[in-house]
mmCIF file of all heavy atoms in Angstrom:
data_model
loop_
_atom_site.group_PDB
_atom_site.id
_atom_site.type_symbol
_atom_site.label_atom_id
_atom_site.label_comp_id
_atom_site.label_asym_id
_atom_site.label_seq_id
_atom_site.Cartn_x
_atom_site.Cartn_y
_atom_site.Cartn_z
ATOM 1 N N CYS A 1 -8.747 -9.133 -10.862
ATOM 2 C CA CYS A 1 -7.780 -9.622 -11.896
ATOM 3 C C CYS A 1 -6.779 -8.456 -12.119
ATOM 4 O O CYS A 1 -7.060 -7.327 -11.737
ATOM 5 C CB CYS A 1 -8.535 -9.913 -13.231
ATOM 6 S SG CYS A 1 -7.555 -10.733 -14.528
ATOM 7 N N ILE A 2 -5.554 -8.855 -12.460
ATOM 8 C CA ILE A 2 -4.489 -7.918 -12.829
ATOM 9 C C ILE A 2 -3.718 -8.277 -14.075
ATOM 10 O O ILE A 2 -3.451 -9.581 -14.239
ATOM 11 C CB ILE A 2 -3.603 -7.776 -11.512
ATOM 12 C CG1 ILE A 2 -2.576 -6.614 -11.740
ATOM 13 C CG2 ILE A 2 -2.782 -9.031 -11.257
ATOM 14 C CD1 ILE A 2 -1.798 -6.069 -10.572
ATOM 15 N N THR A 3 -3.359 -7.392 -14.926
ATOM 16 C CA THR A 3 -2.504 -7.715 -16.061
ATOM 17 C C THR A 3 -0.989 -7.509 -15.558
ATOM 18 O O THR A 3 -0.657 -6.431 -14.902
ATOM 19 C CB THR A 3 -2.828 -6.804 -17.151
ATOM 20 O OG1 THR A 3 -2.583 -5.327 -16.895
ATOM 21 C CG2 THR A 3 -4.317 -7.031 -17.620
ATOM 22 N N THR A 4 -0.198 -8.461 -15.847
ATOM 23 C CA THR A 4 1.195 -8.403 -15.323
ATOM 24 C C THR A 4 2.069 -7.488 -16.049
ATOM 25 O O THR A 4 3.108 -7.095 -15.297
ATOM 26 C CB THR A 4 1.760 -9.882 -15.394
ATOM 27 O OG1 THR A 4 1.837 -10.252 -16.788
ATOM 28 C CG2 THR A 4 0.856 -10.877 -14.540
ATOM 29 N N ARG A 5 1.879 -7.131 -17.189
ATOM 30 C CA ARG A 5 2.651 -6.127 -17.791
ATOM 31 C C ARG A 5 2.368 -4.625 -17.426
ATOM 32 O O ARG A 5 3.203 -3.912 -17.081
ATOM 33 C CB ARG A 5 2.606 -6.216 -19.339
ATOM 34 C CG ARG A 5 3.606 -5.269 -20.129
ATOM 35 C CD ARG A 5 3.403 -5.390 -21.665
ATOM 36 N NE ARG A 5 2.139 -4.759 -21.927
ATOM 37 C CZ ARG A 5 1.568 -4.708 -23.175
ATOM 38 N NH1 ARG A 5 2.157 -5.184 -24.131
ATOM 39 N NH2 ARG A 5 0.301 -4.107 -23.303
ATOM 40 N N ASP A 6 1.059 -4.264 -17.542
ATOM 41 C CA ASP A 6 0.648 -2.893 -17.331
ATOM 42 C C ASP A 6 0.240 -2.666 -15.910
ATOM 43 O O ASP A 6 -0.009 -1.631 -15.516
ATOM 44 C CB ASP A 6 -0.442 -2.539 -18.370
ATOM 45 C CG ASP A 6 0.025 -2.633 -19.899
ATOM 46 O OD1 ASP A 6 1.246 -2.393 -20.041
ATOM 47 O OD2 ASP A 6 -0.810 -2.857 -20.612
ATOM 48 N N GLY A 7 -0.132 -3.804 -15.189
ATOM 49 C CA GLY A 7 -0.609 -3.551 -13.841
ATOM 50 C C GLY A 7 -2.111 -3.061 -13.783
ATOM 51 O O GLY A 7 -2.462 -2.468 -12.663
ATOM 52 N N LYS A 8 -2.741 -3.258 -14.822
ATOM 53 C CA LYS A 8 -4.171 -2.737 -14.837
ATOM 54 C C LYS A 8 -5.092 -3.733 -13.974
ATOM 55 O O LYS A 8 -4.890 -4.905 -14.102
ATOM 56 C CB LYS A 8 -4.751 -2.705 -16.266
ATOM 57 C CG LYS A 8 -6.065 -2.085 -16.412
ATOM 58 C CD LYS A 8 -6.442 -1.875 -17.805
ATOM 59 C CE LYS A 8 -7.861 -1.183 -17.974
ATOM 60 N NZ LYS A 8 -8.158 -0.938 -19.356
ATOM 61 N N THR A 9 -5.900 -3.113 -13.183
ATOM 62 C CA THR A 9 -6.680 -3.893 -12.182
ATOM 63 C C THR A 9 -8.051 -3.948 -12.498
ATOM 64 O O THR A 9 -8.602 -2.938 -12.986
ATOM 65 C CB THR A 9 -6.361 -3.509 -10.794
ATOM 66 O OG1 THR A 9 -6.627 -2.123 -10.634
ATOM 67 C CG2 THR A 9 -4.841 -3.637 -10.401
ATOM 68 N N TYR A 10 -8.836 -4.965 -11.973
ATOM 69 C CA TYR A 10 -10.198 -5.105 -12.320
ATOM 70 C C TYR A 10 -10.915 -5.712 -11.019
ATOM 71 O O TYR A 10 -10.277 -6.514 -10.341
ATOM 72 C CB TYR A 10 -10.573 -6.098 -13.443
ATOM 73 C CG TYR A 10 -10.040 -5.720 -14.678
ATOM 74 C CD1 TYR A 10 -8.644 -5.930 -15.024
ATOM 75 C CD2 TYR A 10 -10.728 -5.082 -15.727
ATOM 76 C CE1 TYR A 10 -8.045 -5.557 -16.268
ATOM 77 C CE2 TYR A 10 -10.214 -4.697 -16.890
ATOM 78 C CZ TYR A 10 -8.857 -4.852 -17.186
ATOM 79 O OH TYR A 10 -8.357 -4.477 -18.411
ATOM 80 N N TYR A 11 -12.073 -5.177 -10.691
ATOM 81 C CA TYR A 11 -12.722 -5.666 -9.463
ATOM 82 C C TYR A 11 -14.287 -5.807 -9.721
ATOM 83 O O TYR A 11 -14.845 -5.099 -10.421
ATOM 84 C CB TYR A 11 -12.531 -4.622 -8.316
ATOM 85 C CG TYR A 11 -11.084 -4.373 -7.936
ATOM 86 C CD1 TYR A 11 -10.476 -3.342 -8.353
ATOM 87 C CD2 TYR A 11 -10.520 -5.224 -6.896
ATOM 88 C CE1 TYR A 11 -9.090 -3.062 -8.033
ATOM 89 C CE2 TYR A 11 -9.138 -5.036 -6.620
ATOM 90 C CZ TYR A 11 -8.451 -3.923 -7.140
ATOM 91 O OH TYR A 11 -7.229 -3.798 -6.809
ATOM 92 N N GLN A 12 -14.794 -6.812 -9.081
ATOM 93 C CA GLN A 12 -16.247 -6.899 -9.151
ATOM 94 C C GLN A 12 -16.895 -5.998 -8.032
ATOM 95 O O GLN A 12 -16.145 -5.603 -7.077
ATOM 96 C CB GLN A 12 -16.613 -8.377 -8.735
ATOM 97 C CG GLN A 12 -16.383 -9.422 -9.855
ATOM 98 C CD GLN A 12 -17.392 -9.308 -10.929
ATOM 99 O OE1 GLN A 12 -17.539 -8.261 -11.546
ATOM 100 N NE2 GLN A 12 -18.007 -10.475 -11.348
ATOM 101 N N PRO A 13 -18.029 -5.472 -8.275
ATOM 102 C CA PRO A 13 -18.556 -4.439 -7.417
ATOM 103 C C PRO A 13 -18.656 -4.900 -5.954
ATOM 104 O O PRO A 13 -18.562 -4.163 -5.032
ATOM 105 C CB PRO A 13 -20.002 -4.138 -7.907
ATOM 106 C CG PRO A 13 -19.860 -4.482 -9.473
ATOM 107 C CD PRO A 13 -18.810 -5.750 -9.498
ATOM 108 N N SER A 14 -18.848 -6.241 -5.637
ATOM 109 C CA SER A 14 -18.983 -6.732 -4.292
ATOM 110 C C SER A 14 -17.675 -6.452 -3.545
ATOM 111 O O SER A 14 -17.823 -6.519 -2.221
ATOM 112 C CB SER A 14 -19.349 -8.256 -4.447
ATOM 113 O OG SER A 14 -18.402 -8.947 -5.006
ATOM 114 N N VAL A 15 -16.523 -6.391 -4.159
ATOM 115 C CA VAL A 15 -15.313 -6.247 -3.434
ATOM 116 C C VAL A 15 -14.627 -4.950 -3.766
ATOM 117 O O VAL A 15 -13.639 -4.600 -3.055
ATOM 118 C CB VAL A 15 -14.253 -7.453 -3.764
ATOM 119 C CG1 VAL A 15 -15.003 -8.797 -3.511
ATOM 120 C CG2 VAL A 15 -13.836 -7.292 -5.122
ATOM 121 N N ASP A 16 -15.098 -4.240 -4.740
ATOM 122 C CA ASP A 16 -14.518 -2.847 -5.054
ATOM 123 C C ASP A 16 -14.458 -1.946 -3.774
ATOM 124 O O ASP A 16 -15.591 -1.749 -3.319
ATOM 125 C CB ASP A 16 -15.163 -2.335 -6.247
ATOM 126 C CG ASP A 16 -14.402 -1.190 -6.969
ATOM 127 O OD1 ASP A 16 -13.243 -0.934 -6.580
ATOM 128 O OD2 ASP A 16 -15.028 -0.613 -7.859
ATOM 129 N N GLY A 17 -13.327 -1.479 -3.571
ATOM 130 C CA GLY A 17 -13.175 -0.512 -2.409
ATOM 131 C C GLY A 17 -12.834 -1.244 -1.108
ATOM 132 O O GLY A 17 -12.471 -0.570 -0.227
ATOM 133 N N ARG A 18 -12.860 -2.578 -1.131
ATOM 134 C CA ARG A 18 -12.462 -3.306 0.036
ATOM 135 C C ARG A 18 -11.192 -4.183 -0.259
ATOM 136 O O ARG A 18 -10.407 -4.454 0.656
ATOM 137 C CB ARG A 18 -13.614 -4.348 0.534
ATOM 138 C CG ARG A 18 -14.781 -3.737 1.039
ATOM 139 C CD ARG A 18 -15.693 -4.556 1.734
ATOM 140 N NE ARG A 18 -16.156 -5.694 0.887
ATOM 141 C CZ ARG A 18 -16.173 -6.969 1.084
ATOM 142 N NH1 ARG A 18 -15.657 -7.417 2.269
ATOM 143 N NH2 ARG A 18 -16.521 -7.892 0.158
ATOM 144 N N PHE A 19 -11.161 -4.723 -1.490
ATOM 145 C CA PHE A 19 -9.985 -5.616 -1.842
ATOM 146 C C PHE A 19 -9.110 -4.898 -2.680
ATOM 147 O O PHE A 19 -9.533 -4.098 -3.595
ATOM 148 C CB PHE A 19 -10.472 -6.906 -2.472
ATOM 149 C CG PHE A 19 -11.251 -7.765 -1.632
ATOM 150 C CD1 PHE A 19 -11.724 -7.467 -0.380
ATOM 151 C CD2 PHE A 19 -11.722 -9.100 -2.120
ATOM 152 C CE1 PHE A 19 -12.386 -8.374 0.448
ATOM 153 C CE2 PHE A 19 -12.317 -10.013 -1.306
ATOM 154 C CZ PHE A 19 -12.666 -9.727 -0.101
ATOM 155 N N ILE A 20 -7.721 -5.136 -2.681
ATOM 156 C CA ILE A 20 -6.783 -4.656 -3.580
ATOM 157 C C ILE A 20 -5.893 -5.726 -4.121
ATOM 158 O O ILE A 20 -5.295 -6.459 -3.321
ATOM 159 C CB ILE A 20 -5.935 -3.606 -2.836
ATOM 160 C CG1 ILE A 20 -6.715 -2.499 -2.166
ATOM 161 C CG2 ILE A 20 -4.932 -2.975 -3.788
ATOM 162 C CD1 ILE A 20 -6.054 -1.553 -1.215
ATOM 163 N N ILE A 21 -5.875 -5.866 -5.477
ATOM 164 C CA ILE A 21 -4.858 -6.808 -6.137
ATOM 165 C C ILE A 21 -3.555 -6.099 -6.458
ATOM 166 O O ILE A 21 -3.671 -4.935 -6.906
ATOM 167 C CB ILE A 21 -5.714 -7.428 -7.246
ATOM 168 C CG1 ILE A 21 -4.860 -8.624 -7.807
ATOM 169 C CG2 ILE A 21 -5.811 -6.434 -8.399
ATOM 170 C CD1 ILE A 21 -5.588 -9.596 -8.768
ATOM 171 N N SER A 22 -2.453 -6.842 -6.330
ATOM 172 C CA SER A 22 -1.251 -6.285 -6.704
ATOM 173 C C SER A 22 -0.315 -7.408 -7.139
ATOM 174 O O SER A 22 -0.595 -8.638 -6.915
ATOM 175 C CB SER A 22 -0.572 -5.508 -5.475
ATOM 176 O OG SER A 22 -0.387 -6.356 -4.360
ATOM 177 N N LYS A 23 0.787 -7.036 -7.709
ATOM 178 C CA LYS A 23 1.708 -8.067 -8.193
ATOM 179 C C LYS A 23 3.260 -7.744 -7.854
ATOM 180 O O LYS A 23 3.607 -6.590 -7.644
ATOM 181 C CB LYS A 23 1.573 -8.237 -9.663
ATOM 182 C CG LYS A 23 1.916 -6.973 -10.419
ATOM 183 C CD LYS A 23 1.762 -7.185 -12.066
ATOM 184 C CE LYS A 23 2.065 -5.915 -12.796
ATOM 185 N NZ LYS A 23 3.528 -5.729 -12.722
ATOM 186 N N ASP A 24 3.995 -8.774 -7.843
ATOM 187 C CA ASP A 24 5.471 -8.637 -7.750
ATOM 188 C C ASP A 24 5.993 -9.538 -8.772
ATOM 189 O O ASP A 24 6.196 -10.800 -8.548
ATOM 190 C CB ASP A 24 5.939 -9.074 -6.434
ATOM 191 C CG ASP A 24 7.477 -8.743 -6.198
ATOM 192 O OD1 ASP A 24 8.137 -8.515 -7.238
ATOM 193 O OD2 ASP A 24 7.960 -8.642 -5.143
ATOM 194 N N ALA A 25 6.376 -9.015 -9.984
ATOM 195 C CA ALA A 25 6.768 -9.903 -11.082
ATOM 196 C C ALA A 25 8.049 -10.433 -10.812
ATOM 197 O O ALA A 25 8.422 -11.595 -11.322
ATOM 198 C CB ALA A 25 6.791 -8.966 -12.356
ATOM 199 N N SER A 26 8.991 -9.810 -10.013
ATOM 200 C CA SER A 26 10.266 -10.342 -9.687
ATOM 201 C C SER A 26 10.221 -11.750 -9.029
ATOM 202 O O SER A 26 11.107 -12.598 -9.139
ATOM 203 C CB SER A 26 11.159 -9.337 -8.982
ATOM 204 O OG SER A 26 10.670 -9.198 -7.584
ATOM 205 N N THR A 27 9.122 -11.896 -8.224
ATOM 206 C CA THR A 27 8.949 -13.195 -7.492
ATOM 207 C C THR A 27 7.847 -13.991 -8.082
ATOM 208 O O THR A 27 7.565 -15.126 -7.598
ATOM 209 C CB THR A 27 8.831 -12.884 -6.020
ATOM 210 O OG1 THR A 27 7.515 -12.145 -5.835
ATOM 211 C CG2 THR A 27 9.849 -12.132 -5.441
ATOM 212 N N GLY A 28 7.223 -13.533 -9.069
ATOM 213 C CA GLY A 28 6.087 -14.322 -9.625
ATOM 214 C C GLY A 28 4.911 -14.468 -8.665
ATOM 215 O O GLY A 28 4.272 -15.556 -8.671
ATOM 216 N N THR A 29 4.682 -13.425 -7.837
ATOM 217 C CA THR A 29 3.564 -13.528 -6.934
ATOM 218 C C THR A 29 2.560 -12.381 -7.152
ATOM 219 O O THR A 29 2.880 -11.282 -7.459
ATOM 220 C CB THR A 29 4.152 -13.291 -5.484
ATOM 221 O OG1 THR A 29 5.261 -14.297 -5.333
ATOM 222 C CG2 THR A 29 3.143 -13.475 -4.426
ATOM 223 N N VAL A 30 1.301 -12.826 -6.981
ATOM 224 C CA VAL A 30 0.157 -11.903 -7.061
ATOM 225 C C VAL A 30 -0.553 -11.970 -5.681
ATOM 226 O O VAL A 30 -0.789 -12.991 -5.177
ATOM 227 C CB VAL A 30 -0.883 -12.302 -8.264
ATOM 228 C CG1 VAL A 30 -1.975 -11.406 -8.094
ATOM 229 C CG2 VAL A 30 -0.121 -12.078 -9.524
ATOM 230 N N TYR A 31 -0.917 -10.791 -5.142
ATOM 231 C CA TYR A 31 -1.453 -10.638 -3.850
ATOM 232 C C TYR A 31 -2.901 -10.209 -4.020
ATOM 233 O O TYR A 31 -3.280 -9.484 -4.957
ATOM 234 C CB TYR A 31 -0.603 -9.729 -3.000
ATOM 235 C CG TYR A 31 0.732 -10.007 -2.901
ATOM 236 C CD1 TYR A 31 1.784 -9.462 -3.599
ATOM 237 C CD2 TYR A 31 1.139 -10.982 -1.789
ATOM 238 C CE1 TYR A 31 3.121 -9.755 -3.472
ATOM 239 C CE2 TYR A 31 2.474 -11.338 -1.640
ATOM 240 C CZ TYR A 31 3.435 -10.713 -2.452
ATOM 241 O OH TYR A 31 4.832 -11.089 -2.297
ATOM 242 N N LEU A 32 -3.665 -10.498 -2.885
ATOM 243 C CA LEU A 32 -4.980 -9.994 -2.871
ATOM 244 C C LEU A 32 -5.148 -9.536 -1.433
ATOM 245 O O LEU A 32 -5.308 -10.385 -0.543
ATOM 246 C CB LEU A 32 -6.092 -11.064 -3.142
ATOM 247 C CG LEU A 32 -7.575 -10.452 -3.106
ATOM 248 C CD1 LEU A 32 -7.708 -9.416 -4.252
ATOM 249 C CD2 LEU A 32 -8.442 -11.681 -3.207
ATOM 250 N N GLN A 33 -5.139 -8.170 -1.046
ATOM 251 C CA GLN A 33 -5.324 -7.706 0.184
ATOM 252 C C GLN A 33 -6.832 -7.558 0.369
ATOM 253 O O GLN A 33 -7.528 -6.838 -0.445
ATOM 254 C CB GLN A 33 -4.697 -6.293 0.239
ATOM 255 C CG GLN A 33 -4.873 -5.608 1.632
ATOM 256 C CD GLN A 33 -4.288 -6.221 2.803
ATOM 257 O OE1 GLN A 33 -3.117 -6.665 2.709
ATOM 258 N NE2 GLN A 33 -5.034 -6.396 3.923
ATOM 259 N N MET A 34 -7.383 -8.244 1.422
ATOM 260 C CA MET A 34 -8.788 -8.242 1.697
ATOM 261 C C MET A 34 -9.020 -7.412 3.006
ATOM 262 O O MET A 34 -8.530 -7.907 4.094
ATOM 263 C CB MET A 34 -9.357 -9.606 1.749
ATOM 264 C CG MET A 34 -9.064 -10.365 0.487
ATOM 265 S SD MET A 34 -9.780 -12.126 0.520
ATOM 266 C CE MET A 34 -8.983 -12.793 1.954
ATOM 267 N N ASN A 35 -9.824 -6.464 2.924
ATOM 268 C CA ASN A 35 -10.175 -5.580 4.111
ATOM 269 C C ASN A 35 -11.668 -5.632 4.382
ATOM 270 O O ASN A 35 -12.436 -5.941 3.549
ATOM 271 C CB ASN A 35 -9.675 -4.046 3.907
ATOM 272 C CG ASN A 35 -8.204 -3.987 3.591
ATOM 273 O OD1 ASN A 35 -7.413 -4.607 4.331
ATOM 274 N ND2 ASN A 35 -7.852 -3.237 2.564
#
């Protein structure tokens, strides 16, 4: 999860360290990079 104002991120332990969530408020897009 990500908060759109502050950009604070949250991860479950199963994906922490492998997945990265990010946002682009200008385009209204949230990304999930999965490694």
Side-chain angles (χ1 to χ4, degrees):
C1 195
I2 188 168
T3 60
T4 59
R5 184 189 67 184
D6 298 330
K8 189 172 183 178
T9 58
Y10 301 80
Y11 300 95
Q12 291 283 53
S14 61
V15 306
D16 195 8
R18 296 192 299 131
F19 292 8
I20 303 170
I21 190 170
S22 62
K23 65 180 179 69
D24 185 345
S26 67
T27 62
T29 305
V30 174
Y31 302 97
L32 185 68
Q33 177 67 44
M34 305 187 296
N35 300 314

